[in-house]
């Protein structure tokens, strides 16, 4: 059934309520169902009814992967001018995108110089093409070849230590070489050695291309825009597929209220869904939807997608919503009070709002809730990353919801995403909408100023503590903020640093490694804080006395650290 819409009847046994959920299902793909401008490296013709990766006979497997060059007989480190091997796999055939290996007259010879290309996955390879500067696809073929690679050998392997020789060319007269191997080889790494250097002319290479017989490592299929017929509450996405080990499938969506995507549409959903039957993180309600499937492989096999289905509810939880936070600007790493507002527009047939969830990028306190300016009774569950609020009475009419929050924003942009829930649509909460200004959503706190340090407000509580197993003060909590001075203001915690949390005795001996990994900007407070249970690395309780707790983070220039003394007593 192509692009069909059908009804799934769901019975909520606990409430006795019966409601219908609709879906859009694709089981056949063709030229008429694809957005060709956003689709690449996907094959829907070889096996009708399936999406799979294209094969790589005509695709350069090396482009934009990784490469490096090692020079022989010269003290020439790589740079960004004429010795950067990444320029050999960037798809550019013109100056200044080239690598130069100097002639013998310029000094000790570069013979033995080699280039290594990491294809970043196991590929079936049977062809390599090397371009001299001045030659390019579709360009002239009668230009001088004096910059050519004179003699070379090509090796391949699954690692860089055990490579086999694939082809050797002792004398080359061409400006563009094109070598086919006598068989298809399964390799990840390719090595090209420069065996002969000209006496006068340098060897100048502008591009290296690698081709093979297997599937491409990655491809994207983008559907045409789908029409639900009315604004709906999008639910979950599911699919059927053959997915061999080492292959990947993920799906993302965007939604809007116009037949063609424009500036009013949402961005593609933040996280690609790699597991079926999870909630879709898209703005709602929206009438139109478009999905994009990513297929990937690290092996010689391809995933094969048979069917994709997107569920939605025609009955809404709210006709429209608009969330904002005030004040929107706040000094970084300074505790402040904020008001989170949701304007909820209700229709007569909408499900009642039973619960509101606010996801908090920094641990937050809830100080109070009001509806239409009047404080109301509520219950709440407060976790490090979200606050779940249940008003005493469900919201059934148009309402201005306000939650008073207290928190310490620590990132450049702190996004407070929220959802409305109804027990009559238990599996499908409705994501709240928000306006944008300058690409910043109104439910975001933007911090001002620059943190003076990377490690802020390090606390060890209680101190002293008594790890004797009596249930009282058996562990101490280690809390702090990790700032990110270099974080771009238009991103959220994209930069990571090496973070360590260590315990030493007074003689400087390492007692316990509590944490040793990478971290972006984070609030290690409340439920996110670290704990030390008074045990050493072997699991034995330490002796009474003072110990040093150290937080270490690698900064751009030097390592920053903070040390606190904590005392163990019995």
């Amino acid at each position: 059934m192509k692009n069909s819409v059908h009804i799934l009847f769901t019975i909520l046994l606990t409430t006795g309520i019966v409601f219908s959920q609709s879906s859009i299902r694709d089981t056949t793909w063709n030229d008429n169902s694809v957005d060709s401008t956003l689709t690449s490296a996907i094959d829907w013709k070889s096996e009708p009814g399936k999406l799979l990766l294209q094969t790589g006979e005509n695709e350069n497997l090396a482009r934009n992967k990784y490469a490096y060059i090692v020079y022989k007989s010269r003290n020439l480190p790589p740079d960004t001018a004429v010795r950067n091997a990444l320029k050999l796999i960037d798809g550019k055939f013109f100056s200044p995108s080239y690598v130069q290996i100097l002639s013998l007259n310029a000094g000790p010879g570069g013979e033995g110089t080699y280039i290594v290309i990491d294809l970043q996955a196991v590929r079936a390879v049977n062809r390599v093409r090397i371009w001299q500067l001045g030659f390019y696809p579709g360009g002239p073929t009668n230009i001088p070849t004096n910059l050519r690679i004179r003699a070379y050998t090509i090796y391949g392997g699954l690692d860089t230590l055990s490579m086999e020789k694939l082809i050797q060319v002792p004398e080359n007269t061409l400006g563009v070489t094109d070598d086919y191997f006598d068989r298809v080889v399964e390799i990840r790494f390719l090595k090209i050695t420069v065996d002969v250097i000209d006496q006068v002319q340098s060897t100048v290479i502008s591009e290296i291309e690698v081709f093979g017989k297997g599937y491409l490592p990655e491809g994207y299929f983008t559907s045409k825009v789908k029409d639900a017929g009315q604004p709906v509450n999008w639910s979950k996405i599911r699919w059927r597929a053959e997915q061999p080990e080492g292959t990947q499938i993920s799906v993302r969506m965007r939604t809007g209220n116009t037949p063609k995507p424009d500036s009013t549409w949402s961005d593609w959903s933040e996280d690609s869904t790699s597991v079926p039957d999870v909630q879709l993180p898209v703005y709602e309600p929206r009438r139109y939807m478009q999905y994009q499937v990513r297929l990937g492989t690290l092996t010689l096999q391809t995933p094969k997608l048979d069917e994709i289905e997107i569920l939605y509810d025609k009955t809404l939880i709210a006709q429209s919503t608009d969330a904002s936070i005030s004040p929107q600007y706040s000094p970084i790493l300074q505790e402040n009070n904020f008001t989170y507002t949701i304007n909820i527009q209700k229709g007569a047939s909408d499900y009642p709002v039973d619960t509101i969830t606010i996801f908090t990028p920094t641990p937050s306190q809830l100080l109070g809730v009001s509806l239409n300016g009047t404080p109301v009774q509520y219950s709440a569950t407060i976790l490090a990353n979200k606050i779940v609020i249940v008003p005493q009475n469900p919201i059934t009419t148009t309402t201005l919801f306000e939650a008073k929050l207290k928190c310490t924003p620590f990132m450049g942009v702190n996004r407070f995403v929220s959802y409305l829930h109804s027990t009559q649509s238990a599996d499908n909460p409705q994501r709240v909408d928000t306006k944008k200004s300058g690409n910043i959503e109104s439910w975001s706190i933007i911090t001002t100023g620059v943190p003076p340090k990377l490690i802020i407000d390090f606390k060890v509580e209680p101190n002293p503590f008594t790890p004797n197993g009596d249930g009282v003060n058996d562990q101490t909590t280690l809390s702090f903020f990790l700032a990110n001075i270099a974080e771009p203001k238009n991103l959220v915690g994209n930069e990571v640093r090496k973070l360590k949390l260590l315990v030493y005795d007074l003689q400087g001996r390492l007692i316990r490694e509590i944490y040793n990994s990478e971290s972006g900007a984070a609030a290690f407070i409340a439920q996110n804080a670290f704990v030390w249970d008074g045990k050493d690395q072997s699991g034995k309780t330490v002796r009474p006395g003072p110990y040093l707790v150290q937080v270490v983070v690698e900064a751009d220039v030097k390592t920053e650290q903070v040390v606190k003394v904590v005392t163990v007593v019995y």
Side-chain angles (χ1 to χ4, degrees):
M1 185 184 303
K2 182 179 74 174
N3 300 342
S4 63
V5 178
H6 66 283
I7 304 298
L8 302 175
F9 291 101
T10 304
I11 301 177
L12 297 183
L13 298 177
T14 56
T15 63
I17 297 171
V18 180
F19 69 92
S20 62
Q21 190 169 73
S22 304
S23 74
I24 293 174
R25 177 189 289 175
D26 281 353
T27 58
T28 302
W29 292 273
N30 53 46
D31 294 341
N32 296 322
S33 64
V34 60
D35 184 338
S36 58
T37 62
L38 297 174
T39 297
S40 62
I42 293 292
D43 176 11
W44 58 85
K45 297 179 180 179
S46 297
E47 297 186 35
K50 298 180 184 292
L51 288 183
L52 54 152
L53 290 165
Q54 287 183 353
T55 52
E57 287 89 342
N58 298 313
E59 294 286 338
N60 179 10
L61 302 176
R63 184 172 179 177
N64 294 328
K65 295 303 188 294
Y66 182 73
Y68 63 89
I69 186 168
V70 176
Y71 293 87
K72 294 294 184 180
S73 306
R74 297 179 186 278
N75 184 22
L76 295 175
D79 64 13
T80 57
V82 294
R83 295 190 291 275
N84 186 345
L86 294 178
K87 293 185 175 184
L88 298 176
I89 55 173
D90 60 4
K92 301 175 183 178
F93 296 81
F94 303 96
S95 178
S97 182
Y98 65 88
V99 163
Q100 180 181 12
I101 304 171
L102 297 178
S103 65
L104 290 172
N105 282 352
E111 294 176 352
T113 292
Y114 62 87
I115 302 158
V116 175
I117 298 174
D118 180 2
L119 302 177
Q120 298 183 337
V122 177
R123 304 262 66 94
V125 174
N126 70 332
R127 180 186 177 197
V128 174
R129 188 157 59 189
I130 304 172
W131 296 76
Q132 172 193 305
L133 184 64
F135 289 87
Y136 55 92
T141 58
N142 58 349
I143 63 176
T145 58
N146 54 337
L147 301 181
R148 70 188 183 277
I149 183 170
R150 294 307 199 271
Y152 59 93
T153 305
I154 300 176
Y155 301 83
L158 297 176
D159 55 54
T160 57
L161 300 177
S162 55
M163 289 188 164
E164 64 170 312
K165 183 188 295 184
L166 302 176
I167 197 166
Q168 184 172 21
V169 180
E171 185 175 351
N172 172 50
T173 61
L174 302 174
V176 181
T177 70
D178 200 352
D179 295 302
Y180 287 82
F181 309 149
D182 57 5
R183 69 190 192 284
V184 177
V185 292
E186 296 179 9
I187 63 172
R188 172 172 172 171
F189 295 92
L190 193 80
K191 176 180 177 182
I192 301 173
T193 63
V194 179
D195 298 330
V196 176
I197 293 292
D198 189 83
Q199 185 74 29
V200 178
Q201 298 290 342
S202 296
T203 297
V204 183
I205 303 172
S206 67
E207 194 73 12
I208 298 175
E209 297 178 303
V210 180
F211 303 93
K213 292 289 187 182
Y215 295 103
L216 294 174
E218 184 179 65
Y220 291 87
F221 173 87
T222 307
S223 73
K224 289 284 184 69
V225 171
K226 307 291 184 179
D227 183 3
Q230 65 179 68
V232 299
N233 184 16
W234 297 100
S235 178
K236 298 180 179 181
I237 191 164
R238 57 178 58 146
W239 60 83
R240 289 191 302 106
E242 301 172 37
Q243 191 173 345
E245 185 176 354
T247 65
Q248 309 94 37
I249 298 174
S250 60
V251 183
R252 61 179 187 168
M253 282 180 55
R254 59 179 177 178
T255 55
N257 278 323
T258 58
K260 293 184 178 180
D262 57 22
S263 60
T264 66
W265 274 55
S266 69
D267 296 330
W268 289 104
S269 52
E270 297 97 329
D271 300 313
S272 292
T273 302
S274 57
V275 179
D277 279 322
V278 297
Q279 190 68 36
L280 291 168
V282 294
Y283 290 142
E284 300 159 321
R286 296 289 194 273
R287 172 173 174 171
Y288 298 95
M289 172 274 298
Q290 187 176 34
Y291 68 84
Q292 185 177 76
V293 180
R294 176 194 174 274
L295 302 182
T297 182
L298 297 175
T299 69
L300 300 178
Q301 296 179 290
T302 179
K304 297 180 181 181
L305 185 67
D306 295 303
E307 175 183 300
I308 193 164
E309 185 178 33
I310 300 99
L311 307 180
Y312 62 87
D313 282 316
K314 290 183 177 180
T315 302
L316 306 175
I317 298 178
Q319 294 294 305
S320 66
T321 54
D322 184 15
S324 61
I325 197 164
S326 178
Q328 192 169 23
Y329 291 86
S330 181
I332 192 167
L333 287 165
Q334 179 175 307
E335 189 176 62
N336 204 349
N337 291 341
F338 300 90
T339 301
Y340 191 90
T341 302
I342 308 175
N343 190 337
I344 305 171
Q345 297 292 320
K346 296 286 289 180
S349 61
D350 291 350
Y351 296 129
V353 178
D354 305 305
T355 305
I356 298 98
T357 298
I358 304 172
F359 287 90
T360 55
T362 180
S364 304
Q365 301 175 48
L366 178 61
L367 305 180
V369 173
S370 64
L371 301 180
N372 296 321
T374 302
V376 297
Q377 297 295 314
Y378 63 91
S379 61
T381 301
I382 301 175
L383 302 175
N385 65 336
K386 65 181 178 181
I387 298 176
V388 181
I389 302 168
V390 181
Q392 187 177 42
N393 298 309
I395 298 172
T396 58
T397 60
T398 295
T399 300
L400 184 66
F401 167 89
E402 290 182 325
K404 301 293 185 181
L405 307 177
K406 177 183 283 189
C407 65
T408 304
F410 64 94
M411 293 184 292
V413 178
N414 303 262
R415 303 174 68 245
F416 288 74
V417 181
S418 58
Y419 284 83
L420 304 182
H421 304 256
S422 176
T423 55
Q424 296 185 34
S425 181
D427 288 338
N428 190 16
Q430 184 172 319
R431 177 165 165 152
V432 172
D433 244 333
T434 184
K435 292 184 174 65
K436 279 187 177 182
S437 177
N439 208 35
I440 298 296
E441 297 157 320
S442 296
W443 59 21
S444 302
I445 298 173
I446 297 94
T447 54
T448 59
V450 176
K453 298 179 180 180
L454 289 173
I455 305 166
I456 308 293
D457 201 21
F458 180 35
K459 297 177 181 177
V460 180
E461 298 173 331
N463 188 10
F465 74 109
T466 57
N468 55 12
D470 65 356
V472 180
N473 293 338
D474 282 336
Q475 61 186 23
T476 188
T477 299
L478 317 173
S479 62
F480 58 94
F481 289 90
L482 178 60
N484 201 336
I485 292 175
E487 179 197 353
K489 287 292 183 182
N490 64 330
L491 299 176
V492 182
N494 70 314
E495 182 177 324
V496 295
R497 304 174 188 275
K498 188 72 171 181
L499 174 66
K500 297 180 182 180
L501 197 58
L502 309 169
V503 181
Y504 293 91
D505 63 17
L506 294 185
Q507 285 71 47
R509 293 173 297 198
L510 179 64
I511 300 298
R512 179 77 176 271
E513 181 180 86
I514 297 174
Y515 186 83
N516 185 352
S517 188
E518 291 184 332
S519 174
F524 294 110
I525 64 175
Q527 294 97 331
N528 285 343
F530 296 98
V531 296
W532 182 37
D533 57 4
K535 292 182 170 57
D536 62 17
Q537 203 70 6
S538 66
K540 296 181 180 179
T541 302
V542 300
R543 295 180 177 179
Y547 293 85
L548 303 177
V549 181
Q550 180 189 51
V551 181
V552 183
V553 61
E554 293 180 1
D556 296 328
V557 179
K558 62 180 181 179
T559 297
E560 184 176 311
Q561 60 180 316
V562 177
V563 178
K564 294 275 188 181
V565 177
V566 59
T567 302
V568 174
V569 297
Y570 295 105

